[in-house]
Amino acid sequence: MSCKYIIVTGGVTSSLGKGIICASLGKLLAARGLRVTIQKLDPYINVDPGTMNPYEHGEVYVTNDGAETDLDLGHYERFLNVTTSQKNNVTTGRIYYDVITKERKGAYLGKTVQVVPHITDEIKSRVRAIGDTGEYDVVIVEVGGTVGDIEGLPYIEAMRQLRYDVGRKNTLSIHLTLIPYLKAAGELKTKPTQHSVKTILEIGLQPDILVCRAEVPIDTSIRRKIALFCNVDDEDVIASMDAESIYEVPHLMLEEGLDRRVIERLQLDAADEPDLTNWNRFLQAVKHPSKRIKIALVGKYVEHKDAYLSIAESFIHAGAMNDCRVDLVWIQSDDLTARNVAPKLKNVSGILVAPGFGGRGIEGKLHAVRYARTKNIPFFGICLGMQCAVIEFARNVCGMTDANSTEFLPSTPMPLVDLMMEQKQIDDMGGTMRLGQYECKLSENSTAHRAYGNEVIYERHRHRYELNNHYLEQLKSCGLKITGINPSTGLVEIIEIEEHPWFVGVQFHPELKSSVKEPHPLFVNFVAASIAYAEDHELIKKLPTGEVEQQV
Ligand code: GLN
């Protein structure tokens, strides 16, 4: 069976949740025994999102091979429990970069290099590079942006051509659109969808299936109207109602028959029913936990929750494993002071200090670390959060009052956290951090070792700075434990504090490896420690069994 391509475009407005629809469809197809992967095509001109502000783009998701990618890849990995790579995220920046590099090398000698065919060919070759491997039955190609955007045109054109190249029967076009509900009129309105389909038809890509986001149910007459005016069959109008949790969307799509229609139309050789046994078990645990606790997430981008998306999702996975709902209390690190840290954190049973860049909010993060350390509250520091934990420990336990990171104070006399050697020569900002998966060896009798149940682990990185090994002995003599080391470079990857109930700082990003099927062991263990703390301090809320809890 040759590989089939499902092209997913979006209309009317952005933020309709195309990534979740793609991940949900992928989940359902995989649960029917198909080999599925997803590719995201991003029309922006950045080569990758690595240089974008988290307020602008949300989290940068890093793959095992060190690609800085769109956060939708995180949804794919979490839903499908697969690993993605650089190949799964294509940007206009990367396409042009490669086409221009080829042009300079003389690859198009004698020709005028143009959007059609050179850019569109390059786009198609990226899509085929995944499909032609023979590893997949289905590639879901998500075209970023909204139909009608100028920068999206080459992608839609490339997808139109792809249908011709690989044969129409091997491709399917799904258009995700919005059916707004006008309260005053008491009606669902189909016109924006009609216009969106018209726009995509002008470019020549007829949608086969319409997935319609709506706040209220779409009745048969509206479905017929949409089908009539958008050239699709009645059954190919799929309603996508707002869900309480993104993890419910596969079920919503199953009920609407999205996967069934896809299988019929592409004549895929798939199981009659998806096997969602494990997924359903997880969903039950998410919806009906027996208890709930609060954990603080201290960071400087907290107004924009997408900046910490994978962390928030990891808590949902780890909460389900612990039969507990974790309510995140988002704390702006800029606002934390020595005076208000206690009242702000008094009801939480665990404190996570988040990753980040630059000096803003560092003092607040140090207050949060100190509070967790001295009050014996479970503490989890990720990347910058670990660096802050070490600085706080050095200053307040070892008496190294000048301890700092050269990221915040380049002239510091005590560079406890410093640029890695190989970073010192680098001037370019894009794609130059320590990126991707590295090995880490754990010490026995450590919290990390107990959590992982393994001696060697592989975790993903995204940072320039690193704990300066020059100060290791001094830190160790004051009680800091180094429990994870990169075996080939000797870089410190994990720190702990011996006499604290749960105090772990990691230089890597564990949140990038948590999935529904395999919640991350450190998150699972941290939540368990936080539950224990909550029980001891009467901070736990027991929920009557059977109570339906909403998870957002
Ligand atoms: N800014 C720090 C560094 O570059 C931490 C990065 C992060 O938290 N991802 O090392």
Side-chain angles (χ1 to χ4, degrees), residues 355-358 382-384 387 407 462-465 507 509:
F357 292 84
I382 298 185
C383 208
L384 183 70
Q387 296 170 359
E407 182 177 11
R462 181 172 187 254
H463 56 109
R464 284 184 210 286
Y465 295 82
Q507 187 57 79
H509 290 269

Side-chain angles (χ1 to χ4, degrees), residues 396-411:
N396 299 321
V397 178
C398 312
M400 300 156 72
T401 44
D402 283 332
N404 216 326
S405 165
T406 49
E407 182 177 11
F408 321 138
L409 187 64
S411 63

